[in-house]
Each structure stands twice: as C-alpha cells, then as structure tokens.
Amino acid sequence: MIENLSVLLPGLAVSLRLLGLALLAGLPLGLLAGIALFRSPRWLRWPVAVLTEVGRGFPALVTVYLVYFGFPQVGVVLNDVAALTVAFGFTTASYTADLFRSALASVPKAQHEAIAALALPPLKGFALVLLPQALRHALPALIGFAVIVFQGTALAFSIGLKEVIGIAYDEGTLRFDVLPLLITAAALYLAVSLILTALASGLQRRLDPTARPATRRRALPRPAPVTTLKESA
Amino acid sequence: MSAELILRALGFTLTATCVSFVLAALLGALVAAARRGPWAPLRWLAIAWVSVLRGVPPLVWLFVAFFGINLGQAKLTALTATILTFSLVGSAFLAEAYRSGLDSVSRTQFEAVSATAMPAWPGFSRVILPQALPVSLSAAGAYLIHLLKDTALASLIGVQELTFITNDAVQRGSNGFTAFLLLGLAYLALSVPVALAARTAEAKLRKRWAVAA
C-alpha cells in the first residue's frame, strides 16, 4: 500500500494542479457570468444563459474531447494541460455561474433598499455591500463544487495525461495486476474529497451562525400500547 | 456513420442509463432506510456507503469494476461493469435524494404519526411519503440527467455508446469540432425530456396531495 502510494503521489500533484488551474480559470468567469445572469441587459444575459446551459448540459468528457480534438479544426491548437484547463474551466464557470447568481439573489431586499437609501453609487453598492454578502453565502457551495471538479480531473486520463488514474492504470498493466493500484487511487481521491467536504461544512457552520446543526431525527419512541379497561381490570 | 450504428449506440447509452437508474433507485431506498433506521451499526454502514461511493470519481469505480474484478477467469463485460458501477454509485446519490425528501418533512408530522398511534406503514405511506416524494423526485430527476451524461465514461472501457462511436469517427478523420458539438447537443436534447418529465411528475404529485392551507 505504502509503495503503491509513492507510485501514485506524483499523479496526485498533477490532479491537484489541474484542479487549481480549473478553479483559477473557472471561478472568475463564473462570477462574471453569475453577475450577468443576476442583472444585466437582455443582449448579454441571453448568450451567457445559453453558454452556461451548454457547459452544464454537455458531459464533461465530451467538452474535453471538443476542446482537445475539436478546437484544432477551427485553428486553436492546445496542449493537453491547456486543453483541460479550458474544458474544466468552462464547465466550472457554467456550474458556478448559477451558484453565484443564486447567492446574489439571496441577499435580502433590505440591503438593496439600504444602498438606495444611502444614495451609494450602484457600482459601489454592488461591490461593497451585495458582493461580500453573496460571496460569503456561496463559499460552502463553491468548496462543495471544488470536490466535484477534483473528481472530474480523472478525465485527464481520456487524453493520455498521467494523473492518478492514468499512472495507476499504466503501472497496473505493467504488473498484470491493476486492482491494488486502482484501490489505492480510490483511497487517495476519497481522502482529498473528504478533507474538502469537511472544510466546506466547517465553513458553513462558521459563516452561518444562525444555522442549527442538522437536527437528528431519530424515530420517536412508539407510544405505549393502549391498554383497554378490560385488560387492566 | 450509418443510422444503424447511431441507433445501436443510442441504445447502449439509454440502456446503461435506465437500467442503472432503476437498480440505483431500489438499492438507494434500502440505503436511505438503513440511514434512518433504529440500528446504529447499520446507520454507520449507510453513511460510509454514501461517502465512499461519492468520494471517488465514477471513472475510478468503472475501472475497478472492469479491470479489477476477475471472478475466477470470468470478467465482466464492459456494459455489465458500467451498469454495476452506476447502480452502486447511483444508489449513494439517490439515497441522499430520498434523505433530502424525508428531511424536508416537518418533524411535527413524524410526531403526529406517533401521537395518533398510526401503524408504521400507513403512517409512512400516507402521511410522510406524500410530503417527501416531490422533493426527492426533483433531486432524483436531476441525478438521472447527471447519470445520462456520466454514461459517456463507459466509452473509455469500450462500450460502444454515443461518445465511443463519435470519438471513433473523429479518430478516423471526421471533423472533431462539429462531431463533438453535435454529440454534446445530443446529450442536451436527451436530457430535456427527462427534466420536463421530472418537473411534470413533481407538479402532479404536489397537486394530488396538496394540503389546503
């Protein structure tokens, strides 16, 4: 197990780098798209809405193929890491646009009224009042989504980039025994996913002090059987 | 690409999606029941089941099922491995869908069932379930669309579904840009009826069991 782990760790570095690149490309774009979806003139909102639908409706694998094998047909040739950054970044932006939009929509109406009442310039009011509250609201969901992006980096296998599963597969084929390496790979993914998920729920608790911890709903004790008069007599 | 080839591929995509979804829905119900059941070890097992299956990329599970499982000399076929993988992974997601539905039912409803000493099953099926179902249904509908897109991964272990035949055509010289764009649009087109059906079913359920406010 330890030896398998040391074989796979360089792959984990590649996966994490892809995750970082996808978030770096996707989150700012997603924020811009989210703002466009939240409030923008129709000529801008429509194309953004269509693009985000495409980004969410295409299987991520198809988006990767489209960028890596399809873009060269229209004159855009990207190497594997660049193509994955574009593909994952586009998917990330499409999904997070909706997270950002709903976070902006969740800011209470009173805050909008406060901006108007203080006669803050709209842009200032947006940047100083609405956006910080929206970002706070969106953060746990964004980390939750980062887990999904991290898992999505396994798709790099499909175009031959050697990340965790690519290495596990190649090395396993050489040894004529893939299962131990695949299980180690699964354990690695699980560990990172669990850490990120714990981070998200920890943040959620800290950022939202009003939220009570999920109430345990245990089965209530069944009421004592109704004893009829005759029985007790 | 001949029409016959495309139809066959569409068949593989739909088979993998639908069969996995039905199996996942059944298995997920068991997991959700265990998760809420009275027996602690079973509850822990259900929690572990959900987080382990969801914490690892489906592609890894697909490889484990296809390359890793050797039952004696018999290997799973690619389609069987796909269905096995997505049934198990899906059971974790759908167990969460059921759970979100049950969690949306107010606690007082459970107490009301106990307080009126309703027998367990009618109490569940006539009081709790009608309120939980619309919420679970919309989560399950969202997962079905997710699953449809995830079956594209089966192309990597050689199931000749839509993504496989498109990629094959592109590697033989078809225009990759148009081919993959059309393929993506095909998945979008397939998911639209699912989304509509889920929304209609949810609306119908809500109407049928609407409680006068």
Side-chain angles (χ1 to χ4, degrees), chain A residues 53-74:
Chain A
E53 280 304 319
V54 166
R56 292 189 300 175
F58 278 35
L61 179 62
V62 175
T63 308
V64 168
Y65 281 160
L66 179 64
V67 175
Y68 192 63
F69 296 124
F71 276 22
Q73 308 270 346
V74 289

Side-chain angles (χ1 to χ4, degrees), chain A residues 61-139:
Chain A
L61 179 62
V62 175
T63 308
V64 168
Y65 281 160
L66 179 64
V67 175
Y68 192 63
F69 296 124
F71 276 22
Q73 308 270 346
V74 289
V76 183
V77 183
L78 301 167
N79 71 6
D80 46 10
V81 174
L84 289 169
T85 306
V86 170
F88 293 157
F90 175 55
T91 310
T92 304
S94 304
Y95 277 97
T96 53
D98 209 46
L99 293 180
F100 285 121
R101 186 202 55 77
S102 68
L104 281 167
S106 76
V107 177
K109 201 164 161 240
Q111 301 285 326
H112 295 258
E113 291 165 358
I115 295 173
L118 292 172
L120 271 178
L123 205 61
K124 222 172 168 181
F126 182 80
L128 296 179
V129 181
L130 297 183
L131 199 55
Q133 298 187 59
L135 289 183
R136 255 170 83 110
H137 190 88
L139 198 56

